Every structure is written in C-alpha cells, then in structure tokens.
Amino acid sequence: MALTYQELVAQAKKQIREVSPAEVEERLGEVVIVDVREPDEYEQGAIRGAKLIPRGLLESSIGMHVPDPDTELILYCAGGARSALAAKALADMGYRNVSSMAGGFGRWKAEGRPWETPRTLTKEQKARYSRHTLLPEVGEEGQIKLLESKVLLVGAGGLGSPAAFYLAAAGVGTLGIVDFDVVDATNLQRQILHTLDRVGVPKVESARETLQAINPDVKIEPYMERLSADNVLDIMSGYDLVVDGGDNFPTRYLVNDASLHLKIPVVHGAIFRFEGQVSVFKPYEGPCYRCLFPQPPPPELAPSCAEAGVLGVLPGIIGSIEAMEAIKLLLGVGEPLVGRLLTYDALTEEFRTLRLRRNPRCPACADEQMPPKIVEYDGLCMPAGSVARTA
Amino acid sequence: MSTVKIQLPTVLRQHAGGAKTVEATGDTVGEVFADLARRYPALAAQLAPDGDLGVFVNVFVDDEDIRYLDGLDTPVRDDAEITILPAVAGGAR
C-alpha cells in the first residue's frame, strides 16, 4: 500500500523538529537558513541571508555548503512540506541539528516578517561566472558581491595589467584606473593590457578598451592624472580596496597615508628585476607600508625598472597574486596577506613568507584617531605628522 | 658560534660577488653582520652606510623581523636563515 504525499509529509514531520517563523526570526544571523525551493521561487522573495539549495540538489551539495554535521540548520520552503522531507533526508545523512520552518515562507510573509527580493545573476552572468559560482566559497552570493565591488588600480602598467585583466574577468563591478601615462613601445614586453596599435594612446583609455572587450559587466572609471596630495582622497574614497602597482616611493607613501584616512585596504605589489613582493596593508588591523619601510632606500639601492630592467613575466605573476588577494578580501575568504609579506625570486623559483608586525610607534598608523597629514612627498618621503581624523 | 645563511636581494648581490646566499658566523645578528662586513666590505657599506643597519632594509631571522625581536642582539641558532629585505618601488610603468 503506497503512502500518499500528504501521509509521507506527515510521517516526516513526526521524525523531525519544526520551528515557528517567530523562533526563526529570533535566530537570524545565528543559524544557517537554507531555502530549499526552486530558484524562480527564491528570486521573487526570500528571507535575508538564506542560502538557496533547491531540494533536488540538497543531498548532493549540502556537504560542500555545510561540511560540519553539527551545524545548526533551519530549512524552509513555500509551505513547510518540502522542507520537512528535506530535514528528514539531512537527518538520515547524519546532520544532527536540522529543523524545518512550519508553514514555510508563505506563513513567514503572512505574519509580516522581513524579507527581500534577492539580487540574482542574469542568464548570461550565470553562464559567464559558472566556474566561480560552482565554488562553495564564492557561489552566486559571492559573485554578486564581486559585481557590487569597487576596486581602484594605481597604475595600468606591469602590475596593473594582469591585475586589471583578472579583476575584470572575475566580474568586479567597478574598476577605477589611475595612470597619467600614454602607451609606449617599451611597455609592451610586459604591460599586456596594451597593444602596438595603441602606442601614444593614454593607458587608461587603452585599458578601458581591453577590459570592456573581455567583460562588458564591468564599469571602468579612468583617471588620467598623477596621484597627488590634492586628488588622492577624492579619487580613492568610495572604493572597497586599492591595488597598488605604482612605480615610485612617493606615490606608495601617499597611497598608504590616504588608505589610513579612508580605512581602505591596500594590496601592495612591487617588483625588481627577478624579484617580487606582495602584501596586504589593512588599516589598523595589520601593519601599514610605513611600518614596514619607515623610509625609502637611497636611489642606488632602489633603481627603477626603467633603469634596472625587469623580466616581463615577473609583473604577470606578482600582479596576478595581487588580483587573488583583492578577490579574497572582497569575498572575505581565506587568509589574505595581512601581516605577511610574500617574496618571490624568479631565478630560483622560490616563494617565502616573512612575518610583518605593526610598529606601535609608526608615525603613520600608530594612532587611529590621528591619521597622517596628506602631503606631497619628495624622494625622501619623510613623515609629515598627523591630523585629527575627520572621515 | 653559529653559522648562518644570509639571503641577499638582487640589488646587493653585486657586492658579494654575485652570490644569492652567503654564509657568516656569529651568535647574534650583530656579530653575523660584523663577520659579513669583514668578508664583503662593499656589502656592509651598502647595508649600513653610517654603521646603522636597518634604516633602509629590513632584516628577518627565520622570517621574523629583528626590529620586533632584539634588533642586532637577536640571537641566531646554527643554520638560521637571515633574509635582507629592501624596499622595492617598481611596478614597471
């Protein structure tokens, strides 16, 4: 004698725990809420923060999303039937702390509890970013985060080129690019954003052309100017983070000072001949650039790439690591290089991670209420004192 | 007396006959650098132009910055690795 659907659901409900919408609302933010409906139902409205795992994919993908079987889970569907069956299935799989929301999203809404229309990806975006969204650490949620993010690239040169390429391809929604220079034939050995037919064209324009061709989702904000004490705060404010691919010390100290004012993390990359360095300076959480280098070396210890040369692949590697760090920071996954400096030696093909610490007496970041004065640095880059925080 | 390996950055290798790593002996970072200065005077002149090591470069013993250890008095064990890290400006404009 076969069971009817109603009987099957009733039986499941006896074996699982049901919670009321009121109880769920109290626990928002503390437990993992899973919406087991179909994507088209979810798109029309869902509980804020709920993870969409359609019933049909639940058993096969729960392990990726929720690896720990002791995690407290609340499942819901439209009326409480599918989520009851789903809760039973998860219990059978060994999830010990699963409940189903009685009455489902229908009752939730009828009781006037808060819900939202989740932002979702278009059909084209689902295809374009599918290799991202398959990763449980990214998912559609993470991809949407990237699309809503704003990253400022300082320099569209050797480091900025690969970083911009990957950030644009990844769907970082807004990319600001600061560079006052024009494309030169000597750039093409490493600055892969640019092409021979664009020699003489502003780098920000050339970059825009390349990046839009890869991904029209991305908005490019070009700034064809030199970062200076007068414009740095205006340009940097509003961005979620800065990818520093500058080529001189005064700009690096200036970006550091502004980042402390605005509390924007800086992904730092620097290269010399066959060697590269990458770190993340997260204001007041880890060391800043001046904690690491209180003053720049004399020119004979730090010749520029124009003077000393650089192997073209090197910025490709270092700039790509910068892009990876930027994406990790935007998604909030993994362990970014905060308080660590990655060094790379291309000749020996060796990476090393050095531990960096915040200097408690750092003239730039020791006092959060007194960020550094924004000044135009000369070659000596000496600290110029601090000012009371306004931002 | 400990024998340690010192990793030199590219810009300093010319002052050590092109070597990427050099060895020196001493029981503290200061002693190691004194030994290094005897062997490679040109290198010492670059590292500490006024005899004051560490203004322009950072020195790490086994990946820890000596500024947050005991500076030049930081003890070094046998086979320790000392990394000299200069600030690098380049982004290849």
Side-chain angles (χ1 to χ4, degrees):
Chain A
M1 169 66 200
L3 292 179
T4 64
Y5 178 63
Q6 286 72 17
E7 287 166 341
L8 183 73
V9 171
Q11 206 175 68
K13 283 187 178 175
K14 278 186 207 143
Q15 296 170 49
I16 58 142
R17 190 171 62 233
E18 280 196 296
V19 289
S20 70
E23 288 170 84
V24 176
E25 190 176 351
E26 270 174 38
R27 313 278 329 269
L28 285 184
E30 300 165 23
V31 295
V32 177
I33 313 266
V34 179
D35 188 325
V36 299
R37 297 175 299 163
E38 295 305 305
D40 58 327
E41 298 175 272
Y42 169 82
E43 282 163 21
Q44 288 171 34
I47 297 175
R48 181 192 290 267
K51 215 180 250 300
L52 172 71
I53 312 178
R55 176 71 188 89
L57 300 176
L58 188 66
E59 291 90 336
S60 62
S61 60
I62 189 74
M64 269 193 315
H65 294 283
V66 186
D68 177 2
D70 288 322
T71 308
E72 189 173 351
L73 289 166
I74 296 175
L75 315 183
Y76 76 90
C77 61
R82 276 176 289 173
S83 59
L85 293 174
K88 176 155 185 313
L90 291 188
D92 289 344
M93 288 176 76
Y95 284 83
R96 289 180 273 277
N97 217 340
V98 189
S99 29
S100 163
M101 187 170 85
F105 189 59
R107 182 169 152 198
W108 176 276
K109 259 168 88 173
E111 290 178 2
R113 301 189 191 281
W115 57 278
E116 62 176 18
T117 314
R119 191 178 160 189
T120 53
L121 300 177
T122 64
K123 212 175 121 224
E124 292 73 27
Q125 289 174 329
K126 279 186 179 152
R128 175 183 282 274
Y129 304 116
S130 65
R131 299 303 187 276
H132 269 172
T133 54
L134 280 168
L135 297 167
E137 291 81 359
V138 184
E140 280 213 17
E141 214 180 303
Q143 188 59 52
I144 288 164
K145 229 188 246 176
L146 293 180
L147 285 163
E148 288 172 348
S149 297
K150 299 177 78 176
V151 170
L152 183 71
L153 293 143
V154 175
L159 294 170
S161 280
F165 252 105
Y166 276 118
L167 293 175
V172 171
T174 305
L175 286 180
I177 305 176
V178 195
D179 204 310
F180 65 91
D181 216 353
V182 296
V183 179
D184 180 272
T186 61
N187 300 150
L188 302 175
Q189 158 259 23
R190 63 196 179 284
Q191 302 185 14
I192 55 174
L193 277 173
H194 314 302
T195 54
L196 187 57
D197 60 331
R198 295 191 211 136
V199 166
V201 171
K203 286 188 180 175
V204 289
E205 279 314 314
S206 167
R208 170 158 53 192
E209 222 172 292
T210 302
L211 299 172
Q212 296 283 230
I214 305 169
N215 192 348
D217 273 352
V218 177
K219 188 170 154 217
I220 308 293
E221 300 272 12
Y223 303 92
M224 195 185 168
E225 34 197 319
R226 196 187 284 269
L227 273 187
S228 69
D230 293 330
N231 64 17
V232 69
L233 289 175
D234 280 345
I235 291 178
M236 270 171 59
S237 66
Y239 283 94
D240 297 308
L241 63 85
V242 173
V243 172
D244 187 2
D247 65 346
N248 63 81
F249 288 112
T251 306
R252 292 193 185 272
Y253 284 100
L254 183 66
V255 166
N256 185 60
D257 292 349
S259 79
L260 293 167
H261 268 268
L262 301 166
K263 298 191 181 170
I264 300 173
V266 176
V267 180
H268 166 85
I271 50 173
F272 178 73
R273 287 193 174 165
F274 293 97
E275 277 176 340
Q277 306 177 351
V278 190
S279 189
V280 172
F281 299 119
K282 199 167 184 191
Y284 308 110
E285 284 183 35
C288 77
Y289 186 61
R290 204 178 275 282
C291 294
L292 176 59
F293 299 118
Q295 60 188 90
E300 65 274 18
L301 256 184
S304 72
C305 291
E307 296 156 353
V310 62
L311 197 81
V313 190
L314 178 66
I317 292 168
I318 299 300
S320 299
I321 296 175
E322 287 191 85
M324 180 62 97
E325 290 301 297
I327 288 177
K328 278 162 60 188
L329 287 166
L330 295 173
L331 292 174
V333 301
E335 290 164 43
L337 287 166
V338 177
R340 291 183 295 152
L341 180 92
L342 183 75
T343 64
Y344 172 64
D345 183 331
L347 291 179
T348 54
E349 209 62 64
E350 278 177 328
F351 286 95
R352 237 192 135 86
T353 311
L354 304 171
R355 183 137 302 274
L356 308 182
R357 296 187 194 279
R358 251 185 104 178
N359 176 1
R361 287 179 304 277
C362 173
C365 79
D367 183 351
E368 189 168 341
Q369 293 318 311
M370 298 290 284
K373 208 188 269 177
I374 301 289
V375 296
E376 207 63 53
Y377 286 118
D378 57 17
L380 295 177
C381 301
M382 294 305 280
S386 20
V387 290
R389 172 172 294 286
T390 48
Chain B
M1 198 75 115
S2 307
T3 301
V4 305
K5 242 195 216 163
I6 302 156
Q7 308 271 355
L8 297 176
T10 314
V11 331
L12 293 177
R13 289 178 199 168
Q14 54 180 310
H15 305 295
K20 177 191 159 26
T21 347
V22 292
E23 282 193 350
T25 57
D27 286 325
T28 63
V29 174
E31 288 175 22
V32 167
F33 278 99
D35 183 41
L36 196 65
R38 278 190 291 275
R39 295 178 199 212
Y40 305 102
L43 183 63
Q46 282 291 328
L47 279 175
D50 310 316
D52 186 9
L53 178 76
V55 180
F56 307 124
V57 295
N58 293 330
V59 177
F60 294 79
V61 173
D62 292 330
D63 301 340
E64 287 285 345
D65 192 333
I66 62 163
R67 281 185 292 176
Y68 303 105
L69 299 169
D70 291 320
L72 291 175
D73 296 329
T74 303
V76 290
R77 57 172 182 89
D78 211 25
D79 286 333
E81 280 198 55
I82 295 185
T83 306
I84 298 174
L85 180 87
V88 170
R93 186 165 293 252

